[in-house]
Amino acid sequence: MKRHPTLIAIVLLLLAFAGPGHADSTDRSIEVSSGQHQVTLVELYTSEGCSSCPPADRWMSRFLEDPRLWRDVVPVSFHVDYWDWIGWQDRFAKPAWSERQRRHVREGNGDVVYTPGFFANGREWRGFFSREPLEPTRPRTGELRLQIRGRDVSAQFAPSGVGSDDLMLHVAVLGMNLESRVAAGENRGKLLQHDFVVLGLSRRALDRDEGGYRGELRLPPQSEDAGAVAAWVTVRDRLRPLQAVGGYLR
């Protein structure tokens, strides 16, 4: 049978568009590792309804060009909802993130709830306001490894100097290069830009094994819109991390 060259070209073109370069966003495979020394988890509590928060959001975005990103520092931004009443509803805010900040205070990690509020490895950090550089300490805490296949996550943690306490794995999906045109409230008329925004958070208890701890979970549904992932391990469900790791999903 004679083959028509035009038909062959069309078939090849369709196959090209169906190839790996055009895979679904969930069809991804990444592996990240913290190394043996502690990586600092930097948490920002922020809101699009707070006029003092845009400079803090910009400060967090500077990590995009910082060589310490993922290697020494894992930044995450939690948008709180307690500013929504003032006239602008932050689309990234969740009551759970506001409660997380309040828990920091209840656990003695900070003195009061406010925005913008920073925590470095679970302890309140005020260096942003005095323009002090963030200088992570790097004690040897053990390696946290993360493997992601689609939405399936497998984690291994081999602690150094950690006892037999129950450990919890937390995995957050992060929105990158996000914009909001604010139409009301304190930031009315401003175009706000955000990176490392926590879109969803999953957690589970880790199981003991011969090499330390391991566990599997699923990324939260918001992973469809995520550009990066952050994970950390805590003792039970406390907020201070033992180790953190992160990386880009695309």
Side-chain angles (χ1 to χ4, degrees):
M1 181 175 64
K2 186 177 180 180
R3 298 179 180 177
H4 198 288
T6 302
L7 178 61
I8 294 174
I10 293 173
V11 171
L12 291 175
L13 184 62
L14 290 172
L15 288 173
F17 276 93
H22 296 268
D24 184 84
S25 62
T26 60
D27 184 20
R28 56 198 165 207
S29 175
I30 69 167
E31 296 188 12
V32 290
S33 170
S34 65
Q36 292 290 332
H37 295 276
Q38 188 178 41
V39 177
T40 296
L41 180 70
V42 178
E43 302 173 57
L44 167 63
Y45 291 85
T46 184
S47 170
E48 291 185 341
C50 162
S51 61
S52 300
C53 287
D57 296 329
R58 291 192 293 269
W59 185 88
M60 289 288 278
S61 292
R62 288 167 54 186
F63 281 113
L64 293 171
E65 305 300 328
D66 194 321
R68 299 176 300 171
L69 178 61
W70 310 133
R71 185 190 66 190
D72 300 326
V73 176
V74 171
V76 295
S77 291
F78 290 96
H79 283 233
V80 298
D81 70 339
Y82 52 78
W83 280 97
D84 288 359
W85 67 273
I86 206 166
W88 177 253
Q89 187 169 354
D90 188 334
R91 63 193 175 108
F92 305 115
K94 293 186 179 184
W97 307 156
S98 301
E99 175 59 20
R100 179 181 174 89
Q101 189 182 20
R102 296 185 189 103
R103 280 190 57 203
H104 268 301
V105 174
R106 291 199 299 269
E107 292 183 13
N109 303 329
D111 296 327
V112 67
V113 171
Y114 62 94
T115 56
F118 287 91
F119 291 83
N121 279 341
R123 293 176 173 84
E124 186 178 15
W125 180 71
R126 292 179 175 266
F128 166 79
F129 302 102
S130 55
R131 299 185 179 181
E132 297 176 14
L134 177 71
E135 298 180 352
T137 57
R138 299 276 283 157
R140 189 180 181 91
T141 56
E143 184 180 28
L144 174 60
R145 298 180 61 87
L146 212 66
Q147 298 89 34
I148 300 176
R149 305 288 187 271
R151 284 183 57 197
D152 295 320
V153 180
S154 176
Q156 301 85 37
F157 180 48
S160 174
V162 178
S164 59
D165 290 307
D166 296 331
L167 299 186
M168 183 77 70
L169 172 69
H170 310 256
V171 181
V173 288
L174 309 179
M176 310 293 291
N177 194 29
L178 303 174
E179 291 186 348
S180 293
R181 176 71 69 178
V182 179
E186 291 189 355
N187 289 315
R188 181 177 181 178
K190 293 182 179 179
L191 178 64
L192 303 183
Q193 298 179 326
H194 313 293
D195 294 289
F196 309 107
V197 176
V198 178
L199 303 177
L201 180 63
S202 297
R203 62 183 182 179
R204 64 146 293 169
L206 290 175
D207 301 318
R208 291 295 301 265
D209 67 10
E210 292 182 359
Y213 298 81
R214 65 180 300 110
E216 290 77 33
L217 54 70
R218 296 271 288 172
L219 290 177
Q222 297 87 348
S223 62
E224 291 288 338
D225 300 317
V229 65
W232 57 94
V233 172
T234 63
V235 175
R236 299 182 181 89
D237 201 24
R238 306 289 284 182
L239 294 181
R240 288 187 181 179
L242 300 173
Q243 184 59 289
V245 72
Y248 293 112
L249 287 173
R250 301 186 181 94

